[in-house]
Amino acid sequence: MAIRNIRTYGDEILTKRAKEVEEIDERTKELIEDMIETLHKNNGVGLAAPQVGVLKRIIVIDIYEEGTDVFVLINPEIVKTKGQQTVEEGCLSFPNQFAKIVRPAEVTVKALDKDGKKVKLVGKDLLAQALSHEIDHLNGELFIDKIIPGTLETVKPEDEKKM
Ligand code: NI
């Protein structure tokens, strides 16, 4: 396992669409392990493969809640959203920048797990926020383009979450 460098704003890879994973091979498994390690090292809630320079549709999310494991989702697809929440948000690719943003309150996602098994996940609150943020990354979309104007800050808000 290894910590990977996180690409930051201005790096072209962050605005590209990531490709579907066709086969979960050894390299993919190694990438997933590295992404989890990199996420935890940076105290992040979520990380998408393009943020470590790999244009593959893979995300990892840890909401640090008792009883939940790290979510590893391959080729995730939002199939339904419900409601809205206004939240503080940061992105691991934008060091020290935080803003308010409107995200769905609930998100239903279809994906493959790390073993290639089909899964369906319903996320609420922070998990919905993280799923929405990370799946945006796979489409080359960044939180900065969706924030509520005038809310961008360089001071870390108390309940900020980096994704
Ligand atoms: Ni992000």
Side-chain angles (χ1 to χ4, degrees):
M1 294 218 295
I3 309 273
R4 302 212 184 184
N5 285 332
I6 295 184
R7 306 294 185 95
T8 52
Y9 187 51
D11 191 315
E12 269 190 7
I13 201 161
L14 294 176
T15 55
K16 291 185 173 157
R17 189 182 185 278
K19 293 181 185 70
E20 309 284 329
V21 174
E22 307 276 351
E23 188 199 347
I24 303 166
D25 54 15
E26 284 309 308
R27 258 184 96 174
T28 312
K29 287 178 185 163
E30 197 185 316
L31 169 66
I32 290 167
E33 291 303 312
D34 287 356
M35 283 174 65
I36 293 170
E37 203 179 345
T38 305
L39 176 75
H40 288 152
K41 171 81 183 169
N42 288 281
N43 300 313
V45 169
L47 184 70
Q51 291 182 280
V52 294
V54 181
L55 274 180
K56 284 186 182 168
R57 303 187 78 80
I58 302 173
I59 62 174
V60 297
I61 292 172
D62 194 342
I63 54 170
Y64 303 99
E65 212 170 75
E66 230 185 285
T68 66
D69 209 344
V70 178
F71 296 96
V72 174
L73 301 173
I74 298 170
N75 300 339
E77 200 186 322
I78 293 177
V79 291
K80 201 170 122 192
T81 65
K82 217 163 110 180
Q84 285 190 336
Q85 54 175 335
T86 303
V87 282
E88 293 280 1
E89 194 167 293
C91 176
L92 290 166
S93 296
F94 291 77
N96 304 315
Q97 294 203 290
F98 307 97
K100 285 199 168 72
I101 188 164
V102 179
R103 294 284 184 192
E106 190 182 300
V107 171
T108 304
V109 170
K110 272 188 188 170
L112 300 177
D113 69 8
K114 61 182 177 15
D115 302 311
K117 209 179 98 203
K118 281 185 187 171
V119 290
K120 191 172 165 187
L121 174 67
V122 181
K124 292 178 184 176
D125 306 320
L126 177 57
L127 184 54
Q129 178 188 1
L131 286 165
S132 171
H133 181 114
E134 300 314 327
I135 292 170
D136 277 354
H137 269 301
L138 301 182
N139 296 322
E141 292 168 15
L142 299 170
F143 90 122
I144 204 89
D145 301 319
K146 298 188 163 181
I147 59 172
I148 298 171
T151 63
L152 191 66
E153 289 182 276
T154 52
V155 180
K156 186 177 158 181
E158 219 169 277
D159 60 347
E160 140 283 340
K161 301 288 186 295
K162 294 180 291 182
M163 308 178 172

